[in-house]
């Protein structure tokens, strides 16, 4: 079964865009092998968000995390 | 989960600082997050040019917050109160960094929910984390390096 063929148009577009970010992440890691591809992927996803959204997510993650000051 | 990074009190306070010409930088991990680094922090670190600037107290008073510029008992300068709460940290010792003027001159400006903020660039935050050298600072270094390199590849938006 082709899983992608069952997707809605919106989800298909999301998948195509997401695949492009993964491809870009691998491309960067090929040039900088010390980096973690998953870390680069999440960084590139962050770059697509507004500065306020980036900060909001980081502050929210700290509140949910196990290591408090 | 709230849909704003800043509370209304925090936002009004930062705008009031800007309006009064108080020079400050957002440093530390909060500054890195704004620039796209992945990670988490509990605080928004503010480095003031001088904590004796009267505009800081005026801005805090305007929004109903508390500002005590001097060392008080065991604690550093106090910025908070019922409206501003406890997320702003006043940075007194910026480890590994140059003078405020030098860092300010090379800072980058981001609009965070309608508030223009001067922020220490990622490379300088990395320098300060390396200089601080605490486990929590060192743990953030890989995310900073990823963001610096990814941004240098032309992927960052501001």
């Amino acid at each position: 079964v082709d899983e992608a063929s069952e997707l809605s148009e919106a989800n298909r577009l999301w998948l195509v865009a997401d695949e492009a970010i993964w491809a870009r992440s691998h491309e960067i890691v090929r040039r900088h092998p010390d980096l973690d591809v998953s870390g680069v992927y999440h960084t590139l996803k962050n770059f697509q968000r507004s500065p306020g959204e980036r900060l909001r997510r980081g502050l929210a993650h700290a509140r949910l995390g196990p290591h408090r000051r | 989960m709230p849909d704003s990074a800043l509370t209304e009190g925090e936002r009004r306070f930062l705008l009031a600082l800007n309006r009064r010409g108080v020079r400050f930088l957002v440093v530390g991990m909060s500054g890195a997050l704004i620039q796209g680094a992945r990670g988490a922090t509990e605080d928004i670190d503010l480095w003031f040019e001088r904590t004796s600037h009267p505009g800081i107290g005026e801005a805090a008073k305007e929004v109903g917050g508390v500002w005590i510029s001097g060392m008080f008992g065991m604690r550093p300068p106090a910025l908070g109160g019922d409206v501003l709460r406890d997320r702003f940290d006043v940075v007194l010792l910026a480890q590994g960094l140059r003078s405020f003027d030098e860092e300010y001159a090379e800072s980058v400006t981001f609009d965070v929910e309608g508030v223009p903020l001067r922020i220490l660039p990622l490379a300088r935050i990395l320098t300060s984390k390396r200089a601080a050298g605490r486990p929590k600072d060192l743990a953030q270094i890989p995310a900073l390096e990823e963001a610096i390199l990814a941004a240098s590849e032309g992927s960052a938006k501001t």
Side-chain angles (χ1 to χ4, degrees), chain B residues 7 9 14 18-19 26 37-38 40 56 58 63 67 75 78 86 89 92 101 108 112 114 122 126 142 149 153:
Chain B
T7 67
L14 293 169
N18 284 345
R19 208 166 49 247
V26 178
R38 64 191 175 84
I56 305 172
E58 291 167 9
V63 303
W67 167 247
R75 61 167 306 141
D86 60 357
D89 261 7
L92 297 174
D101 278 345
V108 288
V112 177
L122 283 168
L126 176 60
L149 283 169
E153 298 270 348

Side-chain angles (χ1 to χ4, degrees), chain B residues 70-134:
Chain B
M71 303 296 250
F72 181 71
M74 298 287 287
R75 61 167 306 141
L79 178 59
D82 191 44
V83 173
L84 292 178
R85 317 296 287 197
D86 60 357
R87 292 203 305 182
F88 286 133
D89 261 7
V90 180
V91 172
L92 297 174
L93 176 63
Q95 287 181 302
L97 299 180
R98 298 165 297 185
S99 71
F100 180 91
D101 278 345
E102 288 172 289
E103 299 295 353
Y104 191 86
E106 293 177 17
S107 63
V108 288
T109 301
F110 280 77
D111 183 294
V112 177
E113 298 173 344
V115 185
L117 293 174
R118 300 287 289 253
I119 298 171
L120 196 66
L122 283 168
R124 301 302 297 153
I125 294 174
L126 176 60
T127 297
S128 69
K129 292 288 178 188
R130 283 186 174 138
R134 300 169 300 180

